Amino acid sequence: MSNKIILKAESLDGYLTEKDQDFLNRMDKLYEKAQASFKVLANGGFSSELANEEKKVIEVYNEMGQLMQEICKEVPGLKVFSFETEEESHAEASRVIAKLRDSKTSHQEFIYYSQRAYEMLFRLAYGGAHSENKNYLVVKTPVTIPVQQYSVHKIPDIDSKIENTVMCVMLRGALLPSMIMSKEIEEYSSHGYVTPFALFKIKRDDSKHESDMEYVLDLDNSFFNLEELNGKDLIFADPMNATGGSLVTVVKYLLDNGVKPKSISFFNVIAALKGALRVVRALDNCTVYTLWMDPVLNNSAYILPGLGDAGDRLNGCDSAETPRNIIQLIADYGSNIAGLYRSQLRKIEQTVLD
């Protein structure tokens, strides 16, 4: 008999406050206005009419953005890149998200822009503080004339923030983003710290709707050690946070089995407002970092406007008959990824094979 745990979506809504629900209802109404304009734009017509609808969409999106800023001020656990960083960085975030959303973006481009996105998210979480303490990197260069050359580079001392972390991977779409985050941690650690990995196989039941969604945690095909997670700063990197159910399912399982994390951080390229709120309300000492906040979910619990299935766009599609395991996914990334993330791949192989 398979060993699986199921969490139903209605248990998540119970964590939302009355004020949260009010925010969500206001956002739903604004997005309904936007979708009315989408229909006009999709049907085409006279350029003057289309220009008028585009103006309406821009106005609605500006209003939704202002409402999201209001929400995030009320909920300190929500950290949105454009609300937390200097204005000069906002255009970069917009361009990265625009490329990831674009249906014309190729597989290799999607990987490239995902890497950029997670580098920005790392900076949001760890690189913004101006610490008095600094670490120094002394680097040997290829130049040897007139003598061997060295350069000195100063970086923030964030060892205490990153050297207690464990990458917790919710498989498929989360695998490469988790490797990217781990690589950033390794590069900023003065000791070259490579995060341990905990690998969870969790999937939502896409035959369900947002109102009755279920999430299945498959313990037989997961790889982790509960003792090694206790007292750690747990990092989850998933490109998309729609309902928050996957994360809450995993963390609640860990808590029920005696794991007491020091902290929980959730890194998303795009998060739905409802999913982000559910996560910070359901989990203590949890922070959600997202490059972009999307306003609503559709009836099938997909993010709107979203970017499609991030896992498929990162990894390619599996067939229903022969889904790839984690080692096969890694093999499919190819030599470029394997060479860039060799320390992370070594850790993952140890976790799976040992």
Side-chain angles (χ1 to χ4, degrees), residues 145-181:
I145 298 174
V147 296
Q148 175 64 59
Q149 298 297 296
Y150 295 84
S151 65
V152 177
H153 299 273
K154 186 164 56 176
I155 61 172
D157 180 2
I158 57 173
D159 287 350
S160 61
K161 295 181 179 179
I162 60 178
E163 292 189 354
N164 188 52
T165 55
V166 177
M167 292 305 309
C168 298
V169 184
M170 297 182 289
L171 296 185
R172 279 197 61 77
L175 179 58
L176 184 55
S178 299
M179 290 161 57
I180 297 167
M181 285 295 296

PDB file of all heavy atoms in Angstrom, residues 145-181:
ATOM      1  N   ILE A 145      52.163  38.056 -14.643  1.00  0.00           N
ATOM      2  CA  ILE A 145      53.257  38.995 -14.930  1.00  0.00           C
ATOM      3  C   ILE A 145      52.907  40.369 -14.358  1.00  0.00           C
ATOM      4  O   ILE A 145      51.787  40.853 -14.557  1.00  0.00           O
ATOM      5  CB  ILE A 145      53.490  39.109 -16.457  1.00  0.00           C
ATOM      6  CG1 ILE A 145      53.901  37.739 -17.018  1.00  0.00           C
ATOM      7  CG2 ILE A 145      54.534  40.157 -16.775  1.00  0.00           C
ATOM      8  CD1 ILE A 145      54.021  37.711 -18.517  1.00  0.00           C
ATOM      9  N   PRO A 146      53.787  41.004 -13.604  1.00  0.00           N
ATOM     10  CA  PRO A 146      55.172  40.605 -13.299  1.00  0.00           C
ATOM     11  C   PRO A 146      55.251  39.533 -12.209  1.00  0.00           C
ATOM     12  O   PRO A 146      56.260  38.850 -12.079  1.00  0.00           O
ATOM     13  CB  PRO A 146      55.815  41.903 -12.839  1.00  0.00           C
ATOM     14  CG  PRO A 146      54.676  42.662 -12.234  1.00  0.00           C
ATOM     15  CD  PRO A 146      53.479  42.330 -13.067  1.00  0.00           C
ATOM     16  N   VAL A 147      54.172  39.389 -11.389  1.00  0.00           N
ATOM     17  CA  VAL A 147      54.086  38.306 -10.408  1.00  0.00           C
ATOM     18  C   VAL A 147      52.646  37.789 -10.432  1.00  0.00           C
ATOM     19  O   VAL A 147      51.766  38.387 -11.046  1.00  0.00           O
ATOM     20  CB  VAL A 147      54.443  38.798  -8.978  1.00  0.00           C
ATOM     21  CG1 VAL A 147      55.886  39.255  -8.904  1.00  0.00           C
ATOM     22  CG2 VAL A 147      53.502  39.910  -8.538  1.00  0.00           C
ATOM     23  N   GLN A 148      52.411  36.683  -9.765  1.00  0.00           N
ATOM     24  CA  GLN A 148      51.045  36.167  -9.661  1.00  0.00           C
ATOM     25  C   GLN A 148      50.128  37.242  -9.076  1.00  0.00           C
ATOM     26  O   GLN A 148      50.447  37.864  -8.054  1.00  0.00           O
ATOM     27  CB  GLN A 148      51.012  34.929  -8.773  1.00  0.00           C
ATOM     28  CG  GLN A 148      49.613  34.387  -8.500  1.00  0.00           C
ATOM     29  CD  GLN A 148      48.928  33.894  -9.744  1.00  0.00           C
ATOM     30  OE1 GLN A 148      49.424  32.997 -10.413  1.00  0.00           O
ATOM     31  NE2 GLN A 148      47.791  34.483 -10.078  1.00  0.00           N
ATOM     32  N   GLN A 149      48.988  37.474  -9.732  1.00  0.00           N
ATOM     33  CA  GLN A 149      48.059  38.527  -9.315  1.00  0.00           C
ATOM     34  C   GLN A 149      46.895  37.959  -8.490  1.00  0.00           C
ATOM     35  O   GLN A 149      46.427  36.844  -8.730  1.00  0.00           O
ATOM     36  CB  GLN A 149      47.510  39.246 -10.539  1.00  0.00           C
ATOM     37  CG  GLN A 149      48.561  39.951 -11.370  1.00  0.00           C
ATOM     38  CD  GLN A 149      49.243  41.063 -10.601  1.00  0.00           C
ATOM     39  OE1 GLN A 149      48.616  42.047 -10.217  1.00  0.00           O
ATOM     40  NE2 GLN A 149      50.553  40.904 -10.380  1.00  0.00           N
ATOM     41  N   TYR A 150      46.457  38.777  -7.537  1.00  0.00           N
ATOM     42  CA  TYR A 150      45.309  38.438  -6.693  1.00  0.00           C
ATOM     43  C   TYR A 150      44.402  39.662  -6.627  1.00  0.00           C
ATOM     44  O   TYR A 150      44.857  40.804  -6.708  1.00  0.00           O
ATOM     45  CB  TYR A 150      45.749  38.066  -5.275  1.00  0.00           C
ATOM     46  CG  TYR A 150      46.577  36.807  -5.209  1.00  0.00           C
ATOM     47  CD1 TYR A 150      47.950  36.856  -5.440  1.00  0.00           C
ATOM     48  CD2 TYR A 150      45.985  35.577  -4.925  1.00  0.00           C
ATOM     49  CE1 TYR A 150      48.722  35.703  -5.387  1.00  0.00           C
ATOM     50  CE2 TYR A 150      46.755  34.420  -4.875  1.00  0.00           C
ATOM     51  CZ  TYR A 150      48.119  34.491  -5.102  1.00  0.00           C
ATOM     52  OH  TYR A 150      48.873  33.356  -5.059  1.00  0.00           O
ATOM     53  N   SER A 151      43.104  39.414  -6.481  1.00  0.00           N
ATOM     54  CA  SER A 151      42.173  40.525  -6.266  1.00  0.00           C
ATOM     55  C   SER A 151      41.408  40.290  -4.974  1.00  0.00           C
ATOM     56  O   SER A 151      41.250  39.145  -4.523  1.00  0.00           O
ATOM     57  CB  SER A 151      41.197  40.650  -7.438  1.00  0.00           C
ATOM     58  OG  SER A 151      40.358  39.512  -7.507  1.00  0.00           O
ATOM     59  N   VAL A 152      40.954  41.368  -4.368  1.00  0.00           N
ATOM     60  CA  VAL A 152      40.221  41.303  -3.107  1.00  0.00           C
ATOM     61  C   VAL A 152      38.817  41.848  -3.342  1.00  0.00           C
ATOM     62  O   VAL A 152      38.653  42.942  -3.902  1.00  0.00           O
ATOM     63  CB  VAL A 152      40.936  42.115  -2.008  1.00  0.00           C
ATOM     64  CG1 VAL A 152      40.114  42.107  -0.718  1.00  0.00           C
ATOM     65  CG2 VAL A 152      42.336  41.577  -1.766  1.00  0.00           C
ATOM     66  N   HIS A 153      37.813  41.073  -2.923  1.00  0.00           N
ATOM     67  CA  HIS A 153      36.417  41.475  -3.105  1.00  0.00           C
ATOM     68  C   HIS A 153      35.685  41.396  -1.767  1.00  0.00           C
ATOM     69  O   HIS A 153      35.815  40.421  -1.028  1.00  0.00           O
ATOM     70  CB  HIS A 153      35.735  40.588  -4.150  1.00  0.00           C
ATOM     71  CG  HIS A 153      36.383  40.672  -5.492  1.00  0.00           C
ATOM     72  ND1 HIS A 153      36.039  41.631  -6.420  1.00  0.00           N
ATOM     73  CD2 HIS A 153      37.377  39.945  -6.051  1.00  0.00           C
ATOM     74  CE1 HIS A 153      36.788  41.476  -7.500  1.00  0.00           C
ATOM     75  NE2 HIS A 153      37.608  40.463  -7.306  1.00  0.00           N
ATOM     76  N   LYS A 154      34.946  42.443  -1.496  1.00  0.00           N
ATOM     77  CA  LYS A 154      34.237  42.556  -0.224  1.00  0.00           C
ATOM     78  C   LYS A 154      32.762  42.208  -0.428  1.00  0.00           C
ATOM     79  O   LYS A 154      32.100  42.721  -1.328  1.00  0.00           O
ATOM     80  CB  LYS A 154      34.386  43.985   0.309  1.00  0.00           C
ATOM     81  CG  LYS A 154      33.812  44.210   1.682  1.00  0.00           C
ATOM     82  CD  LYS A 154      34.327  45.503   2.293  1.00  0.00           C
ATOM     83  CE  LYS A 154      34.063  46.726   1.433  1.00  0.00           C
ATOM     84  NZ  LYS A 154      34.482  47.970   2.084  1.00  0.00           N
ATOM     85  N   ILE A 155      32.226  41.301   0.403  1.00  0.00           N
ATOM     86  CA  ILE A 155      30.812  40.926   0.334  1.00  0.00           C
ATOM     87  C   ILE A 155      30.219  40.992   1.734  1.00  0.00           C
ATOM     88  O   ILE A 155      30.956  40.954   2.732  1.00  0.00           O
ATOM     89  CB  ILE A 155      30.620  39.508  -0.253  1.00  0.00           C
ATOM     90  CG1 ILE A 155      31.325  38.466   0.619  1.00  0.00           C
ATOM     91  CG2 ILE A 155      31.107  39.434  -1.686  1.00  0.00           C
ATOM     92  CD1 ILE A 155      31.032  37.023   0.220  1.00  0.00           C
ATOM     93  N   PRO A 156      28.887  41.115   1.852  1.00  0.00           N
ATOM     94  CA  PRO A 156      28.276  41.150   3.190  1.00  0.00           C
ATOM     95  C   PRO A 156      28.527  39.844   3.938  1.00  0.00           C
ATOM     96  O   PRO A 156      28.545  38.763   3.347  1.00  0.00           O
ATOM     97  CB  PRO A 156      26.781  41.328   2.894  1.00  0.00           C
ATOM     98  CG  PRO A 156      26.687  41.743   1.481  1.00  0.00           C
ATOM     99  CD  PRO A 156      27.891  41.224   0.775  1.00  0.00           C
ATOM    100  N   ASP A 157      28.708  39.946   5.221  1.00  0.00           N
ATOM    101  CA  ASP A 157      28.862  38.762   6.061  1.00  0.00           C
ATOM    102  C   ASP A 157      27.463  38.273   6.440  1.00  0.00           C
ATOM    103  O   ASP A 157      26.843  38.785   7.377  1.00  0.00           O
ATOM    104  CB  ASP A 157      29.667  39.103   7.314  1.00  0.00           C
ATOM    105  CG  ASP A 157      29.854  37.898   8.228  1.00  0.00           C
ATOM    106  OD1 ASP A 157      29.387  36.795   7.862  1.00  0.00           O
ATOM    107  OD2 ASP A 157      30.462  38.047   9.303  1.00  0.00           O
ATOM    108  N   ILE A 158      26.964  37.298   5.693  1.00  0.00           N
ATOM    109  CA  ILE A 158      25.632  36.751   5.968  1.00  0.00           C
ATOM    110  C   ILE A 158      25.708  35.270   6.326  1.00  0.00           C
ATOM    111  O   ILE A 158      24.719  34.537   6.229  1.00  0.00           O
ATOM    112  CB  ILE A 158      24.674  36.962   4.770  1.00  0.00           C
ATOM    113  CG1 ILE A 158      25.255  36.335   3.492  1.00  0.00           C
ATOM    114  CG2 ILE A 158      24.379  38.439   4.573  1.00  0.00           C
ATOM    115  CD1 ILE A 158      24.275  36.370   2.317  1.00  0.00           C
ATOM    116  N   ASP A 159      26.885  34.828   6.774  1.00  0.00           N
ATOM    117  CA  ASP A 159      27.055  33.417   7.125  1.00  0.00           C
ATOM    118  C   ASP A 159      26.002  32.942   8.123  1.00  0.00           C
ATOM    119  O   ASP A 159      25.474  31.836   8.002  1.00  0.00           O
ATOM    120  CB  ASP A 159      28.449  33.175   7.708  1.00  0.00           C
ATOM    121  CG  ASP A 159      29.543  33.234   6.652  1.00  0.00           C
ATOM    122  OD1 ASP A 159      29.205  33.266   5.452  1.00  0.00           O
ATOM    123  OD2 ASP A 159      30.730  33.257   7.021  1.00  0.00           O
ATOM    124  N   SER A 160      25.702  33.776   9.117  1.00  0.00           N
ATOM    125  CA  SER A 160      24.759  33.367  10.159  1.00  0.00           C
ATOM    126  C   SER A 160      23.349  33.187   9.610  1.00  0.00           C
ATOM    127  O   SER A 160      22.543  32.452  10.187  1.00  0.00           O
ATOM    128  CB  SER A 160      24.740  34.396  11.289  1.00  0.00           C
ATOM    129  OG  SER A 160      24.313  35.665  10.802  1.00  0.00           O
ATOM    130  N   LYS A 161      23.063  33.843   8.493  1.00  0.00           N
ATOM    131  CA  LYS A 161      21.722  33.742   7.899  1.00  0.00           C
ATOM    132  C   LYS A 161      21.589  32.541   6.963  1.00  0.00           C
ATOM    133  O   LYS A 161      20.475  32.053   6.745  1.00  0.00           O
ATOM    134  CB  LYS A 161      21.396  35.015   7.116  1.00  0.00           C
ATOM    135  CG  LYS A 161      21.286  36.268   7.961  1.00  0.00           C
ATOM    136  CD  LYS A 161      20.927  37.460   7.078  1.00  0.00           C
ATOM    137  CE  LYS A 161      20.793  38.735   7.884  1.00  0.00           C
ATOM    138  NZ  LYS A 161      20.454  39.904   7.018  1.00  0.00           N
ATOM    139  N   ILE A 162      22.697  32.105   6.384  1.00  0.00           N
ATOM    140  CA  ILE A 162      22.594  31.110   5.323  1.00  0.00           C
ATOM    141  C   ILE A 162      23.198  29.753   5.664  1.00  0.00           C
ATOM    142  O   ILE A 162      22.896  28.763   4.999  1.00  0.00           O
ATOM    143  CB  ILE A 162      23.247  31.617   4.020  1.00  0.00           C
ATOM    144  CG1 ILE A 162      24.737  31.924   4.227  1.00  0.00           C
ATOM    145  CG2 ILE A 162      22.503  32.842   3.500  1.00  0.00           C
ATOM    146  CD1 ILE A 162      25.456  32.374   2.961  1.00  0.00           C
ATOM    147  N   GLU A 163      24.019  29.664   6.717  1.00  0.00           N
ATOM    148  CA  GLU A 163      24.739  28.420   6.953  1.00  0.00           C
ATOM    149  C   GLU A 163      24.022  27.474   7.906  1.00  0.00           C
ATOM    150  O   GLU A 163      24.607  26.505   8.393  1.00  0.00           O
ATOM    151  CB  GLU A 163      26.164  28.714   7.417  1.00  0.00           C
ATOM    152  CG  GLU A 163      26.999  29.352   6.306  1.00  0.00           C
ATOM    153  CD  GLU A 163      28.484  29.460   6.630  1.00  0.00           C
ATOM    154  OE1 GLU A 163      28.863  29.140   7.777  1.00  0.00           O
ATOM    155  OE2 GLU A 163      29.252  29.863   5.744  1.00  0.00           O
ATOM    156  N   ASN A 164      22.726  27.748   8.170  1.00  0.00           N
ATOM    157  CA  ASN A 164      21.883  26.802   8.900  1.00  0.00           C
ATOM    158  C   ASN A 164      20.727  26.328   8.012  1.00  0.00           C
ATOM    159  O   ASN A 164      19.768  25.748   8.485  1.00  0.00           O
ATOM    160  CB  ASN A 164      21.322  27.466  10.170  1.00  0.00           C
ATOM    161  CG  ASN A 164      20.603  26.488  11.075  1.00  0.00           C
ATOM    162  OD1 ASN A 164      21.132  25.450  11.438  1.00  0.00           O
ATOM    163  ND2 ASN A 164      19.365  26.819  11.443  1.00  0.00           N
ATOM    164  N   THR A 165      20.833  26.589   6.696  1.00  0.00           N
ATOM    165  CA  THR A 165      19.710  26.352   5.803  1.00  0.00           C
ATOM    166  C   THR A 165      19.721  24.946   5.209  1.00  0.00           C
ATOM    167  O   THR A 165      20.770  24.330   5.027  1.00  0.00           O
ATOM    168  CB  THR A 165      19.714  27.368   4.639  1.00  0.00           C
ATOM    169  OG1 THR A 165      20.981  27.322   3.974  1.00  0.00           O
ATOM    170  CG2 THR A 165      19.474  28.777   5.151  1.00  0.00           C
ATOM    171  N   VAL A 166      18.512  24.469   4.906  1.00  0.00           N
ATOM    172  CA  VAL A 166      18.304  23.230   4.166  1.00  0.00           C
ATOM    173  C   VAL A 166      17.363  23.542   3.013  1.00  0.00           C
ATOM    174  O   VAL A 166      16.331  24.193   3.204  1.00  0.00           O
ATOM    175  CB  VAL A 166      17.678  22.128   5.053  1.00  0.00           C
ATOM    176  CG1 VAL A 166      17.406  20.864   4.231  1.00  0.00           C
ATOM    177  CG2 VAL A 166      18.587  21.801   6.234  1.00  0.00           C
ATOM    178  N   MET A 167      17.713  23.104   1.797  1.00  0.00           N
ATOM    179  CA  MET A 167      16.830  23.267   0.648  1.00  0.00           C
ATOM    180  C   MET A 167      15.809  22.141   0.656  1.00  0.00           C
ATOM    181  O   MET A 167      16.159  20.964   0.622  1.00  0.00           O
ATOM    182  CB  MET A 167      17.612  23.229  -0.659  1.00  0.00           C
ATOM    183  CG  MET A 167      18.523  24.409  -0.886  1.00  0.00           C
ATOM    184  SD  MET A 167      17.732  26.033  -0.798  1.00  0.00           S
ATOM    185  CE  MET A 167      16.363  25.799  -1.919  1.00  0.00           C
ATOM    186  N   CYS A 168      14.544  22.515   0.746  1.00  0.00           N
ATOM    187  CA  CYS A 168      13.447  21.550   0.744  1.00  0.00           C
ATOM    188  C   CYS A 168      12.771  21.616  -0.625  1.00  0.00           C
ATOM    189  O   CYS A 168      12.184  22.645  -0.970  1.00  0.00           O
ATOM    190  CB  CYS A 168      12.450  21.869   1.844  1.00  0.00           C
ATOM    191  SG  CYS A 168      13.175  21.786   3.506  1.00  0.00           S
ATOM    192  N   VAL A 169      12.880  20.543  -1.387  1.00  0.00           N
ATOM    193  CA  VAL A 169      12.466  20.549  -2.787  1.00  0.00           C
ATOM    194  C   VAL A 169      11.133  19.833  -2.946  1.00  0.00           C
ATOM    195  O   VAL A 169      11.024  18.650  -2.622  1.00  0.00           O
ATOM    196  CB  VAL A 169      13.524  19.858  -3.677  1.00  0.00           C
ATOM    197  CG1 VAL A 169      13.136  19.967  -5.141  1.00  0.00           C
ATOM    198  CG2 VAL A 169      14.900  20.456  -3.433  1.00  0.00           C
ATOM    199  N   MET A 170      10.148  20.559  -3.419  1.00  0.00           N
ATOM    200  CA  MET A 170       8.895  19.934  -3.836  1.00  0.00           C
ATOM    201  C   MET A 170       9.062  19.637  -5.328  1.00  0.00           C
ATOM    202  O   MET A 170       9.148  20.544  -6.137  1.00  0.00           O
ATOM    203  CB  MET A 170       7.717  20.848  -3.531  1.00  0.00           C
ATOM    204  CG  MET A 170       7.559  21.087  -2.037  1.00  0.00           C
ATOM    205  SD  MET A 170       6.149  22.120  -1.571  1.00  0.00           S
ATOM    206  CE  MET A 170       6.685  23.718  -2.160  1.00  0.00           C
ATOM    207  N   LEU A 171       9.158  18.402  -5.694  1.00  0.00           N
ATOM    208  CA  LEU A 171       9.795  17.940  -6.928  1.00  0.00           C
ATOM    209  C   LEU A 171       9.279  18.584  -8.206  1.00  0.00           C
ATOM    210  O   LEU A 171       8.281  19.264  -8.232  1.00  0.00           O
ATOM    211  CB  LEU A 171       9.686  16.412  -7.025  1.00  0.00           C
ATOM    212  CG  LEU A 171      10.434  15.650  -5.935  1.00  0.00           C
ATOM    213  CD1 LEU A 171      10.372  14.154  -6.193  1.00  0.00           C
ATOM    214  CD2 LEU A 171      11.879  16.085  -5.837  1.00  0.00           C
ATOM    215  N   ARG A 172       9.995  18.277  -9.294  1.00  0.00           N
ATOM    216  CA  ARG A 172       9.772  18.757 -10.654  1.00  0.00           C
ATOM    217  C   ARG A 172      10.098  20.239 -10.778  1.00  0.00           C
ATOM    218  O   ARG A 172      11.256  20.601 -10.834  1.00  0.00           O
ATOM    219  CB  ARG A 172       8.350  18.439 -11.156  1.00  0.00           C
ATOM    220  CG  ARG A 172       8.211  17.008 -11.659  1.00  0.00           C
ATOM    221  CD  ARG A 172       6.967  16.844 -12.518  1.00  0.00           C
ATOM    222  NE  ARG A 172       7.001  17.693 -13.690  1.00  0.00           N
ATOM    223  CZ  ARG A 172       7.713  17.442 -14.787  1.00  0.00           C
ATOM    224  NH1 ARG A 172       8.462  16.371 -14.843  1.00  0.00           N
ATOM    225  NH2 ARG A 172       7.679  18.260 -15.810  1.00  0.00           N
ATOM    226  N   GLY A 173       9.092  21.094 -10.794  1.00  0.00           N
ATOM    227  CA  GLY A 173       9.340  22.500 -11.063  1.00  0.00           C
ATOM    228  C   GLY A 173      10.233  23.165 -10.039  1.00  0.00           C
ATOM    229  O   GLY A 173      10.875  24.180 -10.319  1.00  0.00           O
ATOM    230  N   ALA A 174      10.292  22.601  -8.827  1.00  0.00           N
ATOM    231  CA  ALA A 174      11.083  23.213  -7.763  1.00  0.00           C
ATOM    232  C   ALA A 174      12.541  22.786  -7.776  1.00  0.00           C
ATOM    233  O   ALA A 174      13.357  23.367  -7.061  1.00  0.00           O
ATOM    234  CB  ALA A 174      10.467  22.876  -6.399  1.00  0.00           C
ATOM    235  N   LEU A 175      12.884  21.773  -8.567  1.00  0.00           N
ATOM    236  CA  LEU A 175      14.236  21.215  -8.488  1.00  0.00           C
ATOM    237  C   LEU A 175      15.304  22.218  -8.917  1.00  0.00           C
ATOM    238  O   LEU A 175      16.229  22.526  -8.154  1.00  0.00           O
ATOM    239  CB  LEU A 175      14.317  19.954  -9.343  1.00  0.00           C
ATOM    240  CG  LEU A 175      15.688  19.264  -9.383  1.00  0.00           C
ATOM    241  CD1 LEU A 175      16.156  18.886  -7.985  1.00  0.00           C
ATOM    242  CD2 LEU A 175      15.640  18.039 -10.283  1.00  0.00           C
ATOM    243  N   LEU A 176      15.205  22.746 -10.138  1.00  0.00           N
ATOM    244  CA  LEU A 176      16.227  23.676 -10.616  1.00  0.00           C
ATOM    245  C   LEU A 176      16.239  24.976  -9.810  1.00  0.00           C
ATOM    246  O   LEU A 176      17.322  25.455  -9.438  1.00  0.00           O
ATOM    247  CB  LEU A 176      16.040  23.954 -12.105  1.00  0.00           C
ATOM    248  CG  LEU A 176      17.104  24.832 -12.752  1.00  0.00           C
ATOM    249  CD1 LEU A 176      18.510  24.261 -12.531  1.00  0.00           C
ATOM    250  CD2 LEU A 176      16.839  25.005 -14.252  1.00  0.00           C
ATOM    251  N   PRO A 177      15.086  25.596  -9.493  1.00  0.00           N
ATOM    252  CA  PRO A 177      15.135  26.784  -8.631  1.00  0.00           C
ATOM    253  C   PRO A 177      15.821  26.532  -7.293  1.00  0.00           C
ATOM    254  O   PRO A 177      16.538  27.396  -6.784  1.00  0.00           O
ATOM    255  CB  PRO A 177      13.645  27.127  -8.444  1.00  0.00           C
ATOM    256  CG  PRO A 177      12.999  26.632  -9.697  1.00  0.00           C
ATOM    257  CD  PRO A 177      13.723  25.364 -10.022  1.00  0.00           C
ATOM    258  N   SER A 178      15.623  25.337  -6.719  1.00  0.00           N
ATOM    259  CA  SER A 178      16.280  25.016  -5.452  1.00  0.00           C
ATOM    260  C   SER A 178      17.786  24.929  -5.632  1.00  0.00           C
ATOM    261  O   SER A 178      18.559  25.366  -4.761  1.00  0.00           O
ATOM    262  CB  SER A 178      15.738  23.684  -4.911  1.00  0.00           C
ATOM    263  OG  SER A 178      14.351  23.765  -4.667  1.00  0.00           O
ATOM    264  N   MET A 179      18.219  24.376  -6.748  1.00  0.00           N
ATOM    265  CA  MET A 179      19.654  24.314  -7.041  1.00  0.00           C
ATOM    266  C   MET A 179      20.229  25.715  -7.214  1.00  0.00           C
ATOM    267  O   MET A 179      21.351  26.009  -6.760  1.00  0.00           O
ATOM    268  CB  MET A 179      19.884  23.472  -8.296  1.00  0.00           C
ATOM    269  CG  MET A 179      19.599  21.992  -8.087  1.00  0.00           C
ATOM    270  SD  MET A 179      19.327  21.065  -9.639  1.00  0.00           S
ATOM    271  CE  MET A 179      20.841  21.408 -10.532  1.00  0.00           C
ATOM    272  N   ILE A 180      19.482  26.602  -7.859  1.00  0.00           N
ATOM    273  CA  ILE A 180      19.942  27.981  -8.054  1.00  0.00           C
ATOM    274  C   ILE A 180      20.112  28.680  -6.702  1.00  0.00           C
ATOM    275  O   ILE A 180      21.128  29.333  -6.439  1.00  0.00           O
ATOM    276  CB  ILE A 180      18.964  28.761  -8.944  1.00  0.00           C
ATOM    277  CG1 ILE A 180      18.897  28.138 -10.340  1.00  0.00           C
ATOM    278  CG2 ILE A 180      19.380  30.228  -9.046  1.00  0.00           C
ATOM    279  CD1 ILE A 180      17.736  28.647 -11.183  1.00  0.00           C
ATOM    280  N   MET A 181      19.110  28.546  -5.822  1.00  0.00           N
ATOM    281  CA  MET A 181      19.197  29.170  -4.497  1.00  0.00           C
ATOM    282  C   MET A 181      20.368  28.606  -3.708  1.00  0.00           C
ATOM    283  O   MET A 181      21.108  29.344  -3.044  1.00  0.00           O
ATOM    284  CB  MET A 181      17.891  28.944  -3.737  1.00  0.00           C
ATOM    285  CG  MET A 181      16.724  29.791  -4.200  1.00  0.00           C
ATOM    286  SD  MET A 181      16.986  31.571  -3.923  1.00  0.00           S
ATOM    287  CE  MET A 181      17.071  31.620  -2.135  1.00  0.00           C
TER     288      MET A 181
END
